[in-house]
Amino acid sequence: MSKGPVVILTALNLEYQAVRQKLASPQMHRHERGTRFEVGTVQGTTHRVALGLTSKGNHSAAVIAERAIQEFSPVAVLFVGVAGALWDATGLGDVVVASHVYAYHGGTSEDEGLKARPRVWEAPHGISQLAAHLARLNDWSDSASGHGDAPQVRFGAIAAGEVVQNSRISAEAKWIRQHYNDALAIEMEAAGVAQAGHLNGAPVAIIRGISDRADGTKNSADDRSRQPQAAANAAAFAIRLAVELAAEQEETAVHEVSAMPQDDRLRSSDTVGRPVSNTAHNSTVGIMAGSVTGSSVHLNTAPQESGPVNLIAALKGFRENLGRHHAEGALDKETYREALADLDSALRSAEGNTRDTSMRAAMTLRRLRGLVTECPALLAELVPLIAAAGDRA
């Protein structure tokens, strides 16, 4: 599974700002070709999100989505923003999560009319299941929005084309409703993002807040007032989904490390400076080749203590290993700074040596775990320390 952040992409600045305001300390990240992303953590968590702007249209959305996937190796890509409703049953302000996406402009023109030849991408099963679960919990919307009834989350098809649809009586509007009558919403980017995810093996979710009914009112004053709330609703649900996706990825990484045979765990931790010593006299030593000629080699021959972990000493040792990973480039500056702050906080709590301080140390170390999931060796070293802090509580 990917160790990267969740990528969230939007087409409009309005949508971008709705997501950005939910991130703590976003930092600019520049792709080598000039595309700019911002990477921050979801407020109140350690889960990272990379945010990018694609501009309008399936083509530009596909290019930027693929660039983001290649750059970040994300847990998932979420495309977030506003859309028009195709049917009255979908309320203004509601959030539509795509069960599948139609690229509806595929077709063939024949004497009796335009025949539909769409491309279709289904949403990944795991993301659909998680989104449905969050919708049932119904704890994702901003309580302070103050805009009437709470928005509903609806699941269904989304139609993605190449033109702005702002009529219910035009020939194209009638054609869309005839051939894609199960689509709940219509927009212009989902097909490009879905294709990029398909080609690169990245899970994609399309999340749209309904701002209009594609009925000629798209540029009205009412629509301009509804767009910000629709964008905020979509952003709120997307952020909730992003946090859960990142948490699931973190738990999977921990289970993978815990399930390793002990020898594999030790090997995975060699890069964090686990003490290794060797003595060779008049000899040739080929450790990497697994050969020793004419000498003896001693690797940690001292017996390991089997007693309880000395948590204070272990945390101080982990601090040195954290610095080593940063120096070697395995941890970027911002991640290292946040990880160091969490570690120092856990160390102070552990030195308190009471049940409450030990509990705080364990909670802080769990937050720290989310920052080092990209470093299996650090993760393997941290897991028993979390357990040791919990045992003291």
Side-chain angles (χ1 to χ4, degrees):
M1 177 176 282
S2 166
K3 301 298 189 295
V6 174
V7 164
I8 296 182
L9 301 175
T10 72
L12 306 176
N13 273 307
L14 172 75
E15 301 158 343
Y16 186 100
Q17 292 296 337
V19 176
R20 189 180 189 275
Q21 68 182 7
K22 298 180 179 297
L23 302 182
S25 304
Q27 301 293 317
M28 194 272 289
H29 178 102
R30 184 181 179 277
H31 185 273
E32 63 179 356
R33 297 299 182 185
T35 304
R36 292 174 183 260
F37 301 91
E38 287 189 281
V39 181
T41 56
V42 177
Q43 292 177 4
T45 78
T46 58
H47 301 307
R48 294 189 303 143
V49 166
L51 177 61
L53 186 70
T54 68
S55 190
K56 297 179 183 179
N58 286 299
H59 300 300
S60 60
V63 171
I64 301 302
E66 181 164 48
R67 188 162 287 180
I69 293 167
Q70 295 294 330
E71 187 78 358
F72 296 106
S73 299
V75 175
V77 177
L78 311 184
F79 200 86
V80 181
V82 300
L86 287 175
W87 306 101
D88 291 338
T90 306
L92 296 174
D94 284 354
V95 172
V96 175
V97 179
S99 58
H100 51 290
V101 174
Y102 293 126
Y104 69 81
H105 266 128
T108 176
S109 179
E110 299 182 4
D111 290 345
E112 59 268 31
L114 181 62
K115 304 297 186 182
R117 288 187 178 178
R119 298 194 67 182
V120 183
W121 296 268
E122 287 196 13
H125 178 68
I127 288 183
S128 294
Q129 289 285 295
L130 178 56
H133 174 69
L134 297 178
R136 288 191 294 271
L137 292 179
N138 199 29
D139 62 353
W140 57 271
S141 61
D142 292 331
S143 58
S145 62
H147 286 260
D149 296 335
Q152 301 297 307
V153 181
R154 303 182 183 276
F155 296 84
I158 288 180
E162 305 300 333
V163 299
V164 176
Q165 285 296 325
N166 193 27
S167 172
R168 285 200 172 185
I169 62 175
S170 68
E172 187 171 53
K174 293 176 181 178
W175 184 84
I176 290 170
R177 285 178 172 82
Q178 176 185 358
H179 292 280
Y180 305 96
N181 61 4
D182 63 332
L184 300 183
I186 189 165
E187 43 96 295
M188 297 175 60
E189 291 83 28
V193 179
Q195 174 72 346
H198 170 70
L199 293 178
N200 291 276
V204 169
I206 309 297
I207 301 164
R208 293 295 198 174
I210 299 301
S211 61
D212 63 85
R213 299 196 181 280
D215 59 358
T217 62
K218 191 176 290 290
N219 298 315
S220 67
D222 286 344
D223 176 61
R224 286 192 293 273
S225 67
R226 286 192 298 260
Q227 262 199 355
Q229 187 57 40
N233 292 346
F237 188 80
I239 286 291
R240 183 76 167 87
L241 180 60
V243 168
E244 292 301 321
L245 287 168
E248 285 189 352
Q249 182 269 332
E250 177 183 318
E251 288 300 318
T252 299
V254 171
H255 290 320
E256 287 175 351
V257 171
S258 300
M260 285 182 182
Q262 183 66 22
D263 289 347
D264 289 346
R265 290 195 207 178
L266 293 175
R267 280 194 293 271
S268 73
S269 300
D270 284 345
T271 57
V272 300
R274 190 177 293 278
V276 176
S277 62
N278 66 77
T279 304
H281 301 285
N282 301 318
S283 61
T284 299
V285 180
I287 298 300
M288 293 301 293
S291 64
V292 179
T293 304
S295 68
S296 60
V297 178
H298 306 279
L299 299 176
N300 280 345
T301 55
Q304 299 295 313
E305 295 182 6
S306 58
V309 174
N310 183 335
L311 185 59
I312 304 299
L315 289 175
K316 290 179 179 178
F318 186 82
R319 195 180 197 279
E320 294 179 5
N321 293 337
L322 196 67
R324 185 176 297 111
H325 270 66
H326 172 56
E328 293 173 353
L331 290 174
D332 61 58
K333 180 179 178 181
E334 291 301 319
T335 302
Y336 173 65
R337 186 170 62 186
E338 293 186 26
L340 199 59
D342 279 349
L343 181 59
D344 288 345
S345 175
L347 190 55
R348 289 193 297 271
S349 296
E351 289 170 343
N353 202 29
T354 67
R355 183 179 184 279
D356 287 343
T357 57
S358 295
M359 187 176 298
R360 285 199 297 272
M363 293 176 63
T364 306
L365 291 175
R366 290 190 188 99
R367 288 201 305 269
L368 174 59
R369 183 177 63 190
L371 293 172
V372 300
T373 53
E374 295 183 8
C375 301
L378 286 177
L379 190 63
E381 188 176 1
L382 185 59
V383 169
L385 301 186
I386 296 172
D391 290 343
R392 297 176 65 191

